């Protein structure tokens, strides 16, 4: 399957904001005196999970728009189930391995939502 340009573009947008919010998070840990290498490692793991989840969602949506309504519904349900299971598994891995700071693993999962909420501020072309 060829990856649609829109999926790539939107994933890049999310990746930029996740990276930006991650830098801010790292700075907050540093300013509060809680920064350790585990914060950085946990943040990297959280970034991989957050961006990966968004990208996989985009791939499933790309597939769904080419299907009939019933098939698309099944594809979206499958996408939600698969991504949720993967999120839980990867999150648990990040929480039980001691080289990852738990907060810095979990927090990046909220960054794509923040980026989506901020999208209208940066999309002046669309109304």
């Amino acid at each position: 399957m060829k990856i649609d340009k829109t999926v790539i573009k939107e994933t890049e947008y999310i990746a930029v904001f996740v990276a930006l919010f991650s830098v801010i998070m790292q700075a907050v840990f540093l300013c509060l005196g809680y920064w350790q290498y585990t914060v950085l490692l946990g943040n990297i793991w959280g970034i991989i999970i957050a961006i990966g989840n968004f990208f996989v969602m985009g791939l499933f949506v790309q597939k769904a728009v080419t299907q009939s309504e019933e098939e698309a519904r099944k594809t979206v349900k499958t996408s939600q189930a698969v991504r949720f299971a993967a999120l839980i598994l990867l999150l648990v891995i990040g929480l039980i391995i001691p080289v990852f700071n738990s907060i810095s693993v979990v927090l990046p999962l909220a960054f794509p939502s923040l980026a989506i909420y901020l999208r209208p501020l940066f999309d002046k072309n669309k109304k």
Side-chain angles (χ1 to χ4, degrees):
M1 170 170 70
K2 184 177 180 190
I3 301 170
D4 190 85
K5 291 178 186 176
T6 305
V7 173
I8 294 170
K9 179 184 166 201
E10 295 303 317
T11 303
E12 288 172 348
Y13 170 81
I14 293 298
V16 166
F17 274 88
V18 168
L20 178 67
F21 292 139
S22 291
V23 168
I24 293 168
M25 182 183 74
Q26 293 288 320
V28 169
F29 269 93
L30 188 63
C31 290
L32 294 175
Y34 293 115
W35 194 91
Q36 301 174 352
Y37 76 95
T38 60
V39 173
L40 178 61
L41 294 177
N43 191 197
I44 291 169
W45 186 250
I47 288 170
I48 291 168
I49 297 170
I51 295 171
N53 179 51
F54 187 84
F55 179 70
V56 171
M57 179 186 64
L59 292 178
F60 274 102
V61 169
Q62 175 184 325
K63 181 179 178 183
V65 297
T66 63
Q67 298 174 325
S68 69
E69 185 177 340
E70 186 59 35
E71 289 174 323
R73 194 173 315 207
K74 288 178 184 176
T75 297
V76 169
K77 281 182 94 173
T78 301
S79 166
Q80 289 173 331
V82 168
R83 290 183 306 107
F84 183 74
L87 277 173
I88 295 300
L89 175 66
L90 295 171
L91 193 56
V92 166
I93 290 169
L95 294 175
I96 63 173
I97 296 177
V99 297
F100 298 132
N101 176 285
S102 298
I103 294 170
S104 66
V105 167
V106 174
L107 210 50
L109 300 180
F111 295 164
S113 296
L114 291 173
I116 292 167
Y117 290 133
L118 294 174
R119 186 68 186 249
L121 298 174
F122 300 100
D123 250 353
K124 300 297 181 188
N125 303 352
K126 299 178 183 176
K127 293 183 179 184

